[in-house]
Amino acid sequence: MTEEFIIDQVVGKINSSVGPVSTLDLARDFDVDHQKIVGAIKSLVAQASATTDKYLNITPKEYKQLSLTPEGIIISKDGSHESRIFKAVLDSRPNGIDQESLLKCIPDASMAKIGFSKAMSNQWIQLDKETRLIHPKKEAINDEVQQLLASIAKMSLEDSRKVDSKTVADLKKRKLITETSIKYMIVEKGSEFSVKIERPETDMTTALIQSGEWRAKKFKDYNFDALGLPPDRGHLHPLMKVRDQFRQIFLEMGFSEMPTNNYVESSFWNFDTLVVPQAHPARDSQDTFFLRFPEKANRLEDRALVDRVSLAHRGTMDGKWPRGYRYEWSEDESSRNVLRTHTTAVTARMLYELANRHKLSGDSRFKPAKLFSIDRVFRNETLDATHLAEFNQVEGVVLDEDLTLGDLMGILEAFFEKLGIGRLRFKPAYNPYTEPSMEIFSFHSGLKKWVEVGNSGVFRPELMQALGLPETVTGIAWGLSLERPTMIKYKIENIRDMVGHKVNLEMVHENPLCLF
Ligand code: PHE
């Protein structure tokens, strides 16, 4: 019988009974295990509890069930030990029997002894003091113990409750019966009993409202103790978390953020203002994405600027400064649109703007500036585990009069210190737009080697002046990638696990917030 079937039977029976029913009766009527009936009632109450606690009236009950021990079973069949002793003595008539032979009528020696002393104290048998032989003292006896045990064995569960407590105590003491407590229930229809249990609605739906059905429906109570679902929300990508931390460091150091919201840039700003020669290999289509549409920038800013930039490239012919690269600079080439290859293009625009602001202010002393940017750049690189065709650069720039390489080193040390990178080393390097240039190395305690963490330098004066800044102003700057420290800090080995269509979004969901 399946559980549902039992439940159906139980509901039917409760429905048709006038008064209360006992689970014991139900178990007997359906011939199933009592525990199954109790289980069925419990699950009925649980199902109904969503709408009502008046489905069934249940009174828990308990009684002691008597059952025979193995010794009790023997007695119920073969008679009590004392009656067997008495029978053996009767059988020995007229001679009588000695005690040792008598006890052998019961194989179990201790049972035999108990039977002998009981038969003696009941005055069923007697010992002839002279012959030491035993004779009966009665013609017949009534074996009450056997009768009692035999009737207990046959008794229905309820009848066994009627056995008086003194008898029960006596039989228990003789270890002929045991008492187990049986729990059962008296079940009766409650005021909200129904044959079919209604499942409560969980939501007031449009359909329920329109049909008017809601009037008759039961609704599930609100559970104000429920913890609720965690609200679905966005998670910051590791790169964005690290970007925030870099941004925080710059802001703490008094830097302001440059506007980096243009991926497409003219060659003029990306290369020419930064005095990258037009034949420089970095401009080659190997490294740079040139735009097919729109191929050229419409307008190259103000004429004077273009002329100064042109001069910085060509150089003066009369041997004066700037010497330039001594080639024919092409304005058309500089108008070619590219996906910016570095955020230094944005820096160049900012230097030009600061120069204009300074001119407009009429101040004799240049107002120092600290600027930073963190944004995306594009390079036509061979893709591998650590390189993609696009990545993010972190760039810092400081402009003031009389800045030195020492200032750059000091600022870099302060900046990297905040990242938790303590020891720095500088290695001479080459950038077309800085002189001197230094690669920045730090000792990585995990990797146990010096790793490059950035690039830096002092902007060349021909660049500064082409952009319109006074001769007295020096620009120091540095740049690094956002991906590299992010990969190191989040222990990401393949850049494709962090950026691109193969990223596991769980990674974004689960990675910790704070790194430095
Ligand atoms: N623009 C450089 C690069 O692409 C970084 C840099 C910025 C170097 C500023 C010096 C000064 O790596």
Side-chain angles (χ1 to χ4, degrees):
M1 264 196 261
T2 67
E3 199 186 316
E4 280 99 283
F5 183 76
I6 295 174
I7 290 176
D8 277 356
Q9 297 289 301
V10 167
V11 171
K13 186 79 180 187
I14 294 172
N15 188 41
S16 60
S17 327
V18 184
V21 291
S22 151
T23 52
L24 295 169
D25 291 336
L26 292 171
R28 194 188 48 225
D29 292 355
F30 303 140
D31 191 24
V32 293
D33 185 59
H34 180 239
Q35 278 315 306
K36 289 199 170 155
I37 300 290
V38 172
I41 291 191
K42 283 184 176 164
S43 80
L44 272 170
V45 171
Q47 281 175 41
S49 71
T51 42
T52 175
D53 55 1
K54 297 192 185 74
Y55 184 73
L56 291 178
N57 295 333
I58 292 177
T59 321
K61 296 265 185 184
E62 188 179 357
Y63 76 91
K64 306 274 194 241
Q65 185 185 354
L66 304 181
S67 39
L68 305 192
T69 63
E71 191 181 344
I73 292 170
I74 294 173
I75 292 175
S76 74
K77 288 185 190 135
D78 301 343
S80 64
H81 309 320
E82 53 272 35
S83 76
R84 289 164 77 184
I85 293 287
F86 176 73
K87 197 162 169 287
V89 175
L90 270 191
D91 290 348
S92 71
R93 279 183 305 189
N95 304 338
I97 185 169
D98 64 284
Q99 189 174 341
E100 201 185 328
S101 318
L102 174 62
L103 290 180
K104 284 191 184 130
C105 78
I106 297 177
D108 184 309
S110 64
M111 289 186 191
K113 267 190 195 154
I114 292 169
F116 180 74
S117 55
K118 275 264 172 198
M120 287 291 281
S121 66
N122 286 352
Q123 311 237 335
W124 293 351
I125 54 174
Q126 61 189 355
L127 177 69
D128 184 323
K129 293 226 169 83
E130 270 157 40
T131 59
R132 312 286 314 157
L133 291 175
I134 297 150
H135 299 279
K137 208 177 171 178
K138 291 233 163 82
E139 284 301 305
I141 50 106
N142 192 10
D143 189 355
E144 282 173 6
V145 177
Q146 182 193 21
Q147 286 159 9
L148 196 56
L149 289 176
S151 75
I152 288 174
K154 275 185 283 175
M155 261 178 204
S156 75
L157 292 176
E158 281 125 292
D159 286 347
S160 71
R161 271 185 291 168
K162 292 169 192 150
V163 181
D164 73 277
S165 57
K166 197 183 159 298
T167 312
V168 169
D170 196 45
L171 291 174
K172 261 173 82 181
K173 208 173 134 211
R174 288 183 65 180
K175 296 196 168 60
L176 300 179
I177 60 168
T178 53
E179 239 185 338
T180 27
S181 90
I182 299 287
K183 293 189 161 86
Y184 67 105
M185 306 177 207
I186 300 293
V187 187
E188 196 180 12
K189 276 180 240 178
S191 56
E192 292 184 27
F193 177 85
S194 66
V195 176
K196 212 176 162 301
I197 293 176
E198 191 188 357
R199 295 189 63 216
E201 298 294 326
T202 49
D203 255 329
M204 179 69 89
T205 62
T206 322
L208 282 177
I209 295 170
Q210 283 175 346
S211 65
E213 271 179 276
W214 66 271
R215 281 174 224 279
K217 289 282 181 193
K218 290 239 190 281
F219 287 87
K220 201 170 175 179
D221 283 345
Y222 284 113
N223 177 2
F224 293 108
D225 297 327
L227 290 177
L229 294 174
D232 216 3
R233 65 202 153 87
H235 292 266
L236 285 181
H237 187 277
L239 274 178
M240 297 301 102
K241 294 179 194 169
V242 176
R243 181 182 69 174
D244 277 359
Q245 291 179 312
F246 272 115
R247 186 176 273 153
Q248 198 55 42
I249 288 167
F250 276 118
L251 293 174
E252 278 169 21
M253 291 175 76
F255 284 66
S256 24
E257 191 161 6
M258 297 186 254
T260 50
N261 53 348
N262 58 307
Y263 292 161
V264 175
E265 189 56 279
S266 62
S267 293
F268 182 77
W269 286 109
N270 194 77
F271 296 122
D272 294 292
T273 54
L274 293 167
V275 292
V276 179
Q278 290 185 332
H280 193 280
R283 291 207 192 192
D284 197 299
S285 54
Q286 291 297 308
D287 267 26
T288 305
F289 289 114
F290 287 91
L291 261 71
R292 205 169 286 149
F293 182 83
E295 195 188 341
K296 304 270 172 74
N298 320 345
R299 184 170 70 86
L300 287 184
E301 313 305 327
D302 73 272
R303 210 53 252 166
L305 171 67
V306 176
D307 289 344
R308 288 198 303 271
V309 168
S310 166
L311 181 68
H313 281 255
R314 287 179 287 111
T316 49
M317 288 307 143
D318 54 10
K320 287 193 198 133
W321 190 85
R323 267 179 60 84
Y325 299 114
R326 309 200 165 244
Y327 72 102
E328 266 315 307
W329 182 78
S330 155
E331 191 172 323
D332 187 52
E333 177 63 30
S334 81
S335 70
R336 290 178 71 188
N337 281 329
V338 301
L339 287 180
R340 71 175 174 223
T341 62
H342 53 185
T343 47
T344 317
V346 179
T347 300
R349 283 181 179 272
M350 284 307 293
L351 297 190
Y352 173 65
E353 192 173 320
L354 289 174
N356 284 340
R357 268 192 228 166
H358 173 68
K359 273 177 216 153
L360 284 173
S361 75
D363 293 344
S364 56
R365 203 186 186 298
F366 180 79
K367 196 165 162 245
K370 293 193 274 189
L371 304 167
F372 78 95
S373 65
I374 309 169
D375 209 347
R376 195 173 302 197
V377 300
F378 306 85
R379 286 187 200 170
N380 194 359
E381 301 226 41
T382 315
L383 311 187
D384 63 26
T386 53
H387 294 87
L388 289 179
E390 54 184 86
F391 61 101
N392 288 272
Q393 280 193 327
V394 179
E395 184 154 324
V397 187
V398 180
L399 293 182
D400 199 2
E401 292 175 353
D402 303 324
L403 284 176
T404 66
L405 197 64
D407 290 310
L408 176 57
M409 289 172 153
I411 290 171
L412 287 174
E413 256 149 22
F415 174 80
F416 281 99
E417 176 81 60
K418 283 181 182 279
L419 284 175
I421 297 175
R423 277 159 78 199
L424 294 186
R425 274 189 188 171
F426 303 99
K427 178 177 155 188
Y430 174 77
N431 292 315
Y433 37 90
T434 54
E435 184 61 38
S437 308
M438 305 182 298
E439 279 171 358
I440 311 158
F441 284 78
S442 103
F443 190 77
H444 194 284
S445 51
L447 302 173
K448 297 227 180 321
K449 61 175 184 185
W450 290 89
V451 294
E452 197 197 324
V453 292
N455 183 8
S456 67
V458 181
F459 283 127
R460 282 167 57 167
E462 48 272 61
L463 169 165
M464 299 286 281
Q465 284 161 47
L467 290 171
L469 287 158
E471 269 179 51
T472 50
V473 176
T474 309
I476 55 181
W478 71 98
L480 55 140
S481 98
L482 181 64
E483 281 76 0
R484 205 180 153 109
T486 308
M487 287 173 75
I488 293 173
K489 291 291 180 182
Y490 281 97
K491 297 194 165 57
I492 297 168
E493 263 153 35
N494 192 325
I495 197 159
R496 295 178 186 99
D497 293 337
M498 182 171 73
V499 183
H501 65 286
K502 286 186 181 162
V503 169
N504 172 9
L505 290 177
E506 288 286 293
M507 176 280 288
V508 176
H509 199 286
E510 281 158 14
N511 265 320
L513 193 61
C514 196
L515 286 168
F516 298 128

